[in-house]
Amino acid sequence: MSNYFFTSESVSMGHPDKLSDQVSDGILDALLAQDPRSRVACETLCTTDFLCLAGEITTKAQVDYTAIARKVCREVGYTSDDIGFNADTCEVLVKLHSQSPDIAMGVDRDGAGDQGLMFGYACNQTEEYMPLPIALAHRIINRITEARQKGEVDWLRPDSKSQVTVEYDDQNRAVGISAIVLSTQHSEKATQQQISDFVTSEVINKSVPGHLLSKNTKYHINPTGRFVVGGPHGDTGLTGRKIIVDTYGGWGRHGGGAFSGKDPTKVDRSAAYMARHVAKNIVAAGLASECEVQLAYAIGVAEPVSVHVETNGTAVVPEEKIVALVREHFRLNPLGIIESLQLRRPIYQKTASGGHFGRSDADFTWEAVSKAADLRKAAGLGSDNFKPQFATV
């Protein structure tokens, strides 16, 4: 097998789809803060000077949906009419109603809120236990967001996108970066040279390990030469359209369900978090150097209809044994997931930018590796202080 290339992208909190995700999760957080058992399925659409909330909500909480939506948009950075979307002046339309009693009937018995299949993935390519291309794409976006929020330059605007192409050898080891793409919204006064110089020196060089860059790395910075019109004014945003950015950058499989705007009774969200938790603990335990976990559910039924583990030949114990260990050490029914990961808390708006996985924030409970030692001992590998060796930091 010859060398191959793999590409992943990330988008900033000001991308219109991500803005929609954050508004939906801001609504969810406000409801959970008052009523932790709120049932929420909130979708957001945003475009020039307009934002619409639609979906199903059943709650005892009393919140001002319009005010919350404006607050989130303001926090992201949309505070000026001259960029086509202003949190304080845009029209906000609210079309929310209660959840169907047919759905509620199954969830009230602690069953899954819908049928579906969810995937979780982890590997030892990076200290985030994430594939390298998506990890680097997120790091770049996090850095340019930091630069904008700190005012390091005055021409950056909220909407940005990154893309990283990594070259791997025939042993699946990263040997370099062949291309980096970064498009960032900017003010009229910024020149292409200013943007290119700043992004290269202050964003890319501070986000990407130098040993992966070479004279052959291609940089495409604002490749059209202009990105003044952006955000909801440049492209309509919708909740749930960045599911690959939210997860593994296309490296692992995806069940198709979006996360944002959904309370944890929706297994699209909670079971995907648990699948990541399981996969990460398996890798942290040294049972495999990469792991993909699939969970599948039926609406109204508590236990998953299937549990599947795929390690792509990297497991040091049989995969069927790993599946048995997963069932023994993790609570996989919806109530068990909610309780073990503490998901009935207002923690979700911050998940809606920068990816839901590979984060160090303590509120991201699914990122904890607290089960790793127990898994390693139960697998017969000893209870020593095993520490994974990461291919790239």
Side-chain angles (χ1 to χ4, degrees):
M1 178 180 173
S2 59
N3 286 14
Y4 66 95
F5 300 84
F6 195 90
T7 302
S8 294
E9 72 162 349
S10 181
V11 300
S12 71
M13 60 168 52
H15 185 283
D17 293 332
K18 277 284 127 209
L19 178 64
S20 295
D21 286 343
Q22 289 165 96
V23 170
S24 292
D25 275 338
I27 299 289
L28 173 62
D29 281 353
L31 295 168
L32 291 177
Q34 293 185 33
D35 178 6
R37 293 188 173 273
S38 296
R39 302 278 174 76
V40 183
C42 179
E43 311 292 341
T44 302
L45 176 149
C46 59
T47 187
T48 303
D49 293 329
F50 178 78
L51 185 145
C52 177
L53 302 173
E56 302 79 47
I57 293 177
T58 300
T59 184
K60 296 177 182 178
Q62 298 291 322
V63 302
D64 184 336
Y65 296 114
T66 298
I68 294 167
R70 293 191 189 281
K71 178 176 179 291
V72 173
C73 295
R74 197 177 303 119
E75 290 171 350
V76 170
Y78 286 107
T79 57
S80 174
D81 288 325
D82 64 4
I83 55 176
F85 190 86
N86 187 333
D88 297 309
T89 60
C90 68
E91 178 186 357
V92 177
L93 178 64
V94 178
K95 293 291 184 180
L96 297 166
H97 56 86
S98 61
Q99 184 186 55
S100 162
D102 295 344
I103 296 174
M105 184 169 56
V107 181
D108 289 341
R109 297 194 300 266
D110 296 323
D114 200 353
Q115 70 176 50
L117 50 136
M118 299 84 209
F119 289 94
Y121 181 83
C123 63
N124 64 1
Q125 288 189 37
T126 66
E127 60 190 3
E128 297 100 319
Y129 289 85
M130 293 286 281
L132 182 60
I134 187 66
L136 294 181
H138 283 327
R139 292 181 199 179
I140 289 170
I141 284 297
N142 292 340
R143 171 61 194 128
I144 200 165
T145 298
E146 176 187 51
R148 176 177 65 86
Q149 292 177 332
K150 288 184 175 180
E152 295 179 21
V153 291
D154 61 4
W155 44 261
L156 279 171
R157 296 296 180 261
D159 191 0
S160 300
K161 300 178 73 171
S162 68
Q163 186 172 284
V164 178
T165 301
V166 176
E167 182 180 1
Y168 291 85
D169 65 16
D170 58 2
Q171 301 298 311
N172 295 318
R173 295 173 299 201
V175 296
I177 295 173
S178 64
I180 295 176
V181 183
L182 182 64
S183 296
T184 185
Q185 187 184 11
H186 57 88
S187 70
E188 287 272 9
K189 71 176 186 179
T191 67
Q192 179 69 8
Q193 191 63 52
Q194 276 182 298
I195 297 167
S196 181
D197 290 346
F198 180 82
V199 165
T200 301
S201 64
E202 300 301 318
V203 177
I204 294 174
N205 289 346
K206 292 185 176 182
S207 308
V208 178
H211 70 276
L212 294 174
L213 302 173
S214 72
K215 63 181 181 181
N216 296 320
T217 303
K218 296 178 181 177
Y219 299 90
H220 302 284
I221 300 169
N222 279 19
T224 69
R226 179 181 170 87
F227 188 6
V228 173
V229 178
H233 185 43
D235 189 13
T236 298
L238 291 170
T239 300
R241 284 208 299 200
K242 286 293 176 284
I243 60 176
I244 300 304
V245 171
D246 285 343
T247 53
Y248 308 104
W251 189 281
R253 284 175 282 195
H254 198 294
F259 301 155
S260 291
K262 297 177 182 177
D263 75 86
T265 67
K266 277 73 171 176
V267 284
D268 273 346
R269 181 169 222 157
S270 56
Y273 288 179
M274 178 53 82
R276 161 66 174 177
H277 183 56
V278 171
K280 187 173 180 181
N281 275 270
I282 288 170
V283 176
L287 304 189
S289 58
E290 67 172 304
C291 180
E292 183 177 73
V293 174
Q294 186 201 52
L295 304 175
Y297 294 84
I299 187 168
V301 178
E303 293 300 322
V305 298
S306 70
V307 178
H308 176 72
V309 172
E310 172 62 61
T311 64
N312 294 322
T314 68
V316 298
V317 296
E319 287 180 349
E320 57 267 26
K321 183 171 184 177
I322 296 177
V323 171
L325 291 172
V326 169
R327 288 187 175 274
E328 178 184 351
H329 288 269
F330 297 90
R331 298 173 65 189
L332 302 178
N333 61 302
L335 180 61
I337 293 172
I338 289 169
E339 291 181 347
S340 58
L341 297 182
Q342 305 168 53
L343 297 181
R344 284 197 169 111
R345 297 176 296 141
I347 59 172
Y348 294 105
Q349 184 182 331
K350 59 186 173 183
T351 70
S353 64
H356 293 246
F357 308 125
R359 308 279 289 273
S360 59
D361 190 310
D363 282 334
F364 290 61
T365 51
W366 48 94
E367 292 297 307
V369 292
S370 52
K371 299 278 190 180
D374 290 342
L375 287 173
R376 186 169 178 81
K377 184 176 181 180
L381 301 177
S383 56
D384 58 335
N385 295 320
F386 172 80
K387 292 185 179 180
Q389 299 298 309
F390 300 108
T392 309
V393 296

